[in-house]
Amino acid sequence: MIHLPRGTQDLLPGTTEKWQHVEAKFIELCRNFNYQEIRTPIFEHTELFQRGVGDTTDIVQKEMYTFQDRGDRTLTLRPEGTASVVRSFVQNKLFGQANQPQKLFYIGPMFRYERPQQGRWRQFVQFGIEALGSADPAIDAEVISLAMEIYKQLGLRSLKLVINTLGDQTSRENHRNALVEHFEPHKEELCSDCQVRLAQNPLRVLDCKKDREHPAMKTAPSILSYLTEEADAYFTKVKAFLDIMDISYHVDPNLVRGLDYYNHTAFEIMSDAEGFGAITTLAGGGRYNGLVEELGGPETPGIGFALSVERLLMALEAENIELPIDDALDSYVIAMGEKAELKTAELVNQLRQAGIQVDKDYQGKKFKAQFKAADRLKAKFVLILGENELAENKIEIKNMQTGEQVSISLPDIVSYLTEQIKKGGQ
Ligand code: HAM
């Protein structure tokens, strides 16, 4: 037997309904906030992520599924969505469209070669949004509120929003120098990755899982002390918008995020539900002014976030939230006798064409077993077609909720059932 690859999963009936439910909720919410869907390829030129996500990030250095195709191109299964969306924005000149900012959303699988554990997959599905073309702090708050809203509307309560600013270029340079000065005397005590990070991208040291407990981490200089006046004012405005929208947050100056393109606002949403597990981050995002230019477009500010469906569903489970999934079938037709079988096929076809959900037996089951099957499928109505009914051009209908059974003339069945289902749905 061939098993699925490590870090991937099969989603089977019973689970896929949950995925469809949260996906529909996300789409509805995006519609509410006026974000439109964008679909980009699952693989891109490797260079896109090297330049977009950043050469010194763990994602690019250790986690990408990169391969050579038969034409000797170096391609990579996308590890995230932002770089692809920005590439598409530039390539399709979306910056030239009348409606700005361009507010886009996406749903799709991402791939990272990470050590699989609870909540960490090698293939996972992200819901994400990107707003390109606005440097208004109000849109930072809008992006954060959309992210929070999806969890809230699905019923999650144990949520923590953590925000930070990474400042503008000057703030970052000053902070970078301060970090180098701070960590340099401890260089030998840090892990080998951090020794490289210190030279290449010292901000990444703050994000290190191995050196988290090192005393120098706790006393590391905070970006908040190095903000320029503009960057500080920007962050203050973002917070004011969050306050007015009644979204509570904690400011964590050590929140640096694992991708290189960020500046100004950065945020993560965590679950603090008991039993959620070691990985508590549900979603992450931030501002990335400069990325559009980096990928060859005109100077365009951007902000977005992404969450994974896997962790969203884990959080729902940790809080014992059942999604309101309607997996009941409208109707099931039971045929008794050979003659009725042909008529049943015709009837099932008619009902389906009228938009009524219906199924029938295909295994030659006896009457009782067919009834059981209808029950298992949670059929709201069971239609029984026997030789007698057929002779009278009638059909028996049992309402499975009330137990009531009536006899209806066959030509009236579609309109009768349509009416009944409409009533049931109210
Ligand atoms: P990220 O923080 O790398 O950001 O990923 C966003 C979310 O994807 C995480 O918070 C987590 O829920 C989920 N995630 C990441 N890796 C895995 C994994 N191995 N298994 C399951 N879930 C995972 C980004 O990807 C940015 N593109 C977000 C963004 C959009 N920033 C601006 N716009």
Side-chain angles (χ1 to χ4, degrees):
M1 186 180 34
I2 299 170
H3 285 259
L4 48 63
R6 203 163 126 75
T8 67
Q9 62 179 332
D10 294 321
L11 302 173
L12 304 178
T15 300
T16 41
E17 290 79 2
K18 293 183 189 167
W19 284 70
Q20 288 166 0
H21 181 86
V22 295
E23 201 170 295
K25 191 86 218 165
F26 177 63
I27 293 174
E28 180 194 315
L29 211 58
C30 286
R31 208 47 231 127
N32 248 233
F33 280 69
N34 193 32
Y35 283 74
Q36 290 177 300
E37 188 177 8
I38 180 164
R39 298 187 190 194
T40 61
I42 286 186
F43 57 85
E44 298 268 3
H45 291 290
T46 303
E47 191 194 349
L48 173 66
F49 304 112
Q50 288 169 334
R51 282 187 23 207
V53 175
D55 257 335
T56 62
T57 58
D58 277 0
I59 294 182
V60 169
Q61 286 190 346
K62 302 180 186 169
E63 297 171 2
M64 294 210 300
Y65 280 92
T66 296
F67 60 97
Q68 211 82 10
D69 77 359
R70 287 170 197 274
D72 259 355
R73 299 170 193 90
T74 304
L75 301 170
T76 294
L77 298 184
R78 62 183 182 193
E80 61 104 49
T82 312
S84 304
V85 170
V86 170
R87 184 217 27 85
S88 177
F89 176 85
V90 173
Q91 186 173 348
N92 294 291
K93 299 193 173 57
L94 298 186
F95 46 81
Q97 300 259 321
N99 56 324
Q100 298 294 336
Q102 283 279 301
K103 306 209 298 183
L104 305 165
F105 79 83
Y106 50 91
I107 301 175
M110 308 291 162
F111 306 84
R112 295 186 193 176
Y113 191 81
E114 294 191 89
R115 258 176 69 95
Q117 52 178 294
Q118 206 196 11
R120 182 166 287 157
W121 299 90
R122 289 187 171 167
Q123 175 176 331
F124 57 98
V125 171
Q126 277 190 349
F127 290 169
I129 66 169
E130 312 293 346
L132 291 144
S134 168
D136 182 343
I139 206 157
D140 298 43
E142 174 179 288
V143 167
I144 295 174
S145 77
L146 192 153
M148 289 299 283
E149 206 52 34
I150 179 155
Y151 297 114
K152 278 198 211 150
Q153 290 197 10
L154 289 169
L156 286 172
R157 290 175 192 287
S158 304
L159 295 173
K160 197 166 102 184
L161 168 65
V162 181
I163 62 168
N164 188 25
T165 176
L166 300 172
D168 50 20
Q169 209 175 346
T170 312
S171 323
R172 288 167 66 107
E173 268 160 30
N174 293 341
H175 183 224
R176 183 195 158 104
N177 294 340
L179 284 170
V180 173
E181 206 170 296
H182 175 80
F183 282 113
E184 202 55 56
H186 305 284
K187 192 172 170 180
E188 302 306 316
E189 301 148 28
L190 299 175
C191 73
S192 56
D193 279 347
C194 275
Q195 295 184 8
V196 179
R197 286 176 185 135
L198 199 53
Q200 289 183 344
N201 190 351
L203 198 65
R204 289 267 85 77
V205 175
L206 297 179
D207 204 25
C208 179
K209 287 159 197 115
K210 283 191 204 138
D211 290 326
R212 194 181 311 183
E213 299 305 323
H214 192 286
M217 285 289 192
K218 294 196 177 60
T219 53
S222 155
I223 177 71
L224 301 181
S225 318
Y226 293 88
L227 293 180
T228 58
E229 223 170 276
E230 292 84 9
D232 191 33
Y234 194 89
F235 193 42
T236 303
K237 281 191 194 150
V238 173
K239 288 185 286 185
F241 280 113
L242 290 175
D243 291 336
I244 204 106
M245 293 162 97
D246 229 5
I247 297 174
S248 40
Y249 53 83
H250 303 266
V251 176
D252 178 357
N254 284 330
L255 178 78
V256 297
R257 309 273 303 122
L259 304 92
D260 268 355
Y261 45 62
Y262 293 113
N263 42 51
H264 290 286
T265 317
F267 69 96
E268 285 187 355
I269 299 171
M270 330 272 201
S271 165
D272 47 21
E274 234 174 89
F276 182 69
I279 298 172
T280 55
T281 307
L282 297 177
R287 185 162 273 289
Y288 47 83
N289 303 346
L291 182 59
V292 177
E293 270 173 292
E294 174 64 40
L295 296 177
E299 192 181 332
T300 310
I303 177 160
F305 89 95
L307 65 84
S308 75
V309 181
E310 288 79 1
R311 291 192 195 170
L312 166 62
L313 294 176
M314 256 173 77
L316 288 168
E317 212 165 284
E319 292 197 35
N320 292 317
I321 294 166
E322 286 286 331
L323 295 173
I325 286 162
D326 180 15
D327 56 354
L329 199 65
D330 289 338
S331 62
Y332 191 91
V333 183
I334 297 179
M336 288 192 305
E338 250 171 56
K339 273 197 203 134
E341 256 165 34
L342 217 61
K343 189 73 194 168
T344 301
E346 184 193 354
L347 179 61
V348 163
N349 201 34
Q350 266 176 2
L351 292 172
R352 287 178 179 159
Q353 283 173 358
I356 296 171
Q357 304 164 353
V358 58
D359 207 356
K360 69 180 279 292
D361 170 60
Y362 292 102
Q363 292 188 306
K365 287 197 183 99
K366 300 252 155 51
F367 179 77
K368 237 180 149 177
Q370 289 194 44
F371 224 97
K372 252 198 194 147
D375 219 32
R376 214 175 297 121
L377 292 169
K378 301 181 194 151
K380 292 173 196 151
F381 294 90
V382 173
L383 284 62
I384 306 155
L385 195 60
E387 311 270 307
N388 291 347
E389 285 83 10
L390 206 55
E392 293 174 30
N393 208 21
K394 283 190 164 167
I395 187 163
E396 291 285 311
I397 298 193
K398 183 167 182 178
N399 180 329
M400 298 297 277
Q401 273 144 4
T402 62
E404 191 187 350
Q405 190 162 329
V406 289
S407 187
I408 300 287
S409 135
L410 258 176
D412 293 340
I413 185 67
V414 172
S415 58
Y416 176 82
L417 208 53
T418 306
E419 192 62 26
Q420 290 296 312
I421 288 165
K422 219 190 273 166
K423 266 197 221 158
Q426 277 165 2

